Amino acid sequence: MGRTGDMNVFIIGSEKIASYKIGIEQPLRHLEKSGVCQFKIRSDDQVEKSNIADADIVIFFRTVQPEAYKYLEMAREMGKRTVYVIDDHFLAMSPATDMGRYYHESSRRKTYVKFLKNAQLVKVASSFFAKHLDTHFKPNQIVYFPGSVDFSIISGLKKRKKAEDRIVIGYEGGKKQVAFEPVIRALDEIIRKYGDKVRIEFCGYVPEELADKPQVFTEPYDENYKKFLKRLYRSGWDIGLAPLERTLLHDCKSNNKYREYSACRIPGIYTSSPAYEEWVQNKETGMIVSGTSDEWYEAIVELIENSELRQNITERAEQVAWENFTVESCAERWRTQILMPE
């Protein structure tokens, strides 16, 4: 057990996934430093029976492997507390995609459902996802709260200096071809209207239709979370884009973009979806738009033309981020709702 009072937490899953670092490692590291717990993580194929025996609580992160489920049964027999942590609804993935095929494979699909039904606690980062699982899978107990932003990473950083008369619009993240279709048309119109008065930066995914435009600049996505967050803060974007498809899979996503943009003082435009509707007050802490290119265009124009609105959104959204998404507040939720519930 280590120091008196320490809770021994054992995690089964991959430590390479960004959502592990943001949603689990950051808050647990904070609790470890506070003497609340100690923890370690192992992949499915590295687990030993002694890891389960030594633990007070066993957390299964995103795994759907039948071999991993055997460890849940083992933990239950030993009287250990079991938690299943997921940030995607695997069965909502299209079986036509590589990832969807992986999760829809019969044994993995069945294992996913068994984890949902038999873990003592299921932890998600979206209230919509929590309600959906509660309705359709009836977990023993389900807990929802969003991930964290490590403000210490961006503390003291300076925004990049840029031309006073040029508005910088940005997007960072993976490929979202369908979600970007209305945004591409809107940005085409923006380029026609403003020309070189706008600069559009893509970090990671860039739509092919925009890649060759002289106003568009690209750079690769940085998998290192700390480097990525520092780059995002320094970017000096005047407007951040956060399009999202309206499917069950995407409706179950967390408010990741809102957390990052708000913490990095970037006023964002967000698709009207469960991931953002709960958090974004239109024209107060961000801009909420439906899926039409006209709405995207109008929102971008409004933010370009109205510097006071951009500043107000920046200030209010950053305040929401400090009130809700710090590592400290996330760690406290982990402590009271998962590790040591009443």
Side-chain angles (χ1 to χ4, degrees):
M1 281 287 292
R3 296 192 305 273
T4 305
D6 270 4
M7 172 170 278
N8 203 327
V9 180
F10 183 62
I11 305 159
I12 299 173
S14 172
E15 63 184 329
K16 294 177 182 175
I17 299 172
S19 58
Y20 164 72
K21 296 188 178 303
I22 297 165
I24 301 178
E25 185 181 61
Q26 283 181 174
L28 290 193
R29 188 75 64 206
H30 179 79
L31 293 175
E32 189 174 59
K33 287 176 183 173
S34 306
V36 172
C37 72
Q38 52 186 337
F39 71 97
K40 61 182 170 184
I41 181 168
R42 296 286 183 271
S43 59
D44 294 345
D45 56 356
Q46 293 179 320
V47 179
E48 297 177 6
K49 188 174 179 179
S50 61
N51 297 138
I52 308 292
D54 291 344
D56 298 300
I57 181 167
V58 183
I59 295 171
F60 299 82
F61 174 59
R62 284 185 64 97
T63 181
V64 292
Q65 296 294 353
E67 296 77 13
Y69 185 76
K70 290 173 187 171
Y71 295 120
L72 183 135
E73 293 180 325
M74 184 187 296
R76 202 163 51 179
E77 285 168 11
M78 293 181 182
K80 311 297 182 179
R81 185 165 167 75
T82 57
V83 181
Y84 190 42
V85 179
I86 44 171
D87 53 359
D88 273 317
H89 188 11
F90 303 134
L91 300 190
M93 292 178 177
S94 167
T97 64
D98 288 343
M99 194 171 282
R101 268 191 293 277
Y102 176 88
Y103 285 108
H104 280 277
E105 186 274 324
S106 179
S107 67
R108 295 189 191 109
R109 183 187 179 101
K110 288 174 184 171
T111 303
Y112 174 57
V113 174
K114 286 201 290 187
F115 268 119
L116 289 175
K117 289 179 174 289
N118 296 317
Q120 282 177 293
L121 179 69
V122 174
K123 156 70 175 76
V124 295
S126 149
S127 62
F128 178 91
F129 192 10
K131 288 170 193 161
H132 178 81
L133 292 180
D134 200 35
T135 300
H136 296 280
F137 297 92
K138 302 280 189 250
N140 291 310
Q141 186 186 354
I142 192 156
V143 163
Y144 145 69
F145 54 83
S148 57
V149 175
D150 188 347
F151 282 91
S152 71
I153 294 171
I154 54 179
S155 174
L157 292 184
K158 297 280 192 295
K159 293 280 188 179
R160 186 179 69 197
K161 288 185 179 178
K162 58 187 188 330
E164 287 291 320
D165 58 345
R166 180 176 284 190
I167 294 290
V168 184
I169 302 166
Y171 170 78
E172 54 76 22
K175 188 173 183 179
K176 288 191 172 69
Q177 200 160 341
V178 174
F180 254 99
E181 282 173 8
V183 185
I184 292 165
R185 292 194 292 274
L187 290 175
D188 252 338
E189 290 295 319
I190 291 294
I191 289 169
R192 269 196 285 274
K193 180 177 173 69
Y194 293 99
D196 288 338
K197 289 185 177 178
V198 294
R199 175 185 171 98
I200 304 170
E201 297 183 355
F202 286 95
C203 178
Y205 169 65
V206 55
E208 287 179 17
E209 298 89 334
L210 298 172
D212 294 331
K213 304 275 186 183
Q215 294 84 1
V216 172
F217 299 81
T218 63
E219 58 181 288
Y221 182 79
D222 199 325
E223 294 290 340
N224 181 297
Y225 172 67
K226 288 185 178 180
K227 288 180 181 176
F228 147 74
L229 199 64
K230 286 179 179 180
R231 192 212 59 78
L232 185 64
Y233 187 90
R234 289 191 181 114
S235 70
W237 291 350
D238 297 290
I239 301 167
L241 305 176
L244 201 60
E245 272 183 73
R246 287 308 313 272
T247 66
L248 177 59
L249 174 65
H250 295 90
D251 283 355
C252 291
K253 295 281 186 182
S254 76
N255 64 357
N256 197 34
K257 282 280 184 294
Y258 179 68
R259 291 199 310 272
E260 292 167 354
Y261 286 165
S262 299
C264 290
R265 295 181 58 80
I266 299 167
I269 306 176
Y270 306 88
T271 297
S272 178
S273 73
Y276 301 125
E277 284 166 348
E278 179 181 359
W279 291 96
V280 183
Q281 289 180 284
N282 192 37
K283 300 189 183 181
E284 297 283 333
T285 55
M287 304 288 277
I288 284 277
V289 297
S290 72
T292 70
S293 57
D294 285 348
E295 279 206 28
W296 276 98
Y297 173 76
E298 287 162 12
I300 295 169
V301 167
E302 188 166 4
L303 285 183
I304 288 173
E305 299 286 349
N306 192 337
S307 61
E308 187 178 350
L309 178 62
R310 292 200 308 272
Q311 187 60 31
N312 287 342
I313 287 173
T314 297
E315 300 294 341
R316 288 171 181 153
E318 186 188 33
Q319 186 179 348
V320 171
W322 272 100
E323 288 170 358
N324 294 277
F325 309 138
T326 63
V327 172
E328 291 79 6
S329 62
C330 187
E332 183 59 13
R333 291 186 183 108
W334 267 91
R335 187 183 72 80
T336 58
Q337 297 183 48
I338 298 177
L339 301 187
M340 301 174 177
E342 293 297 323

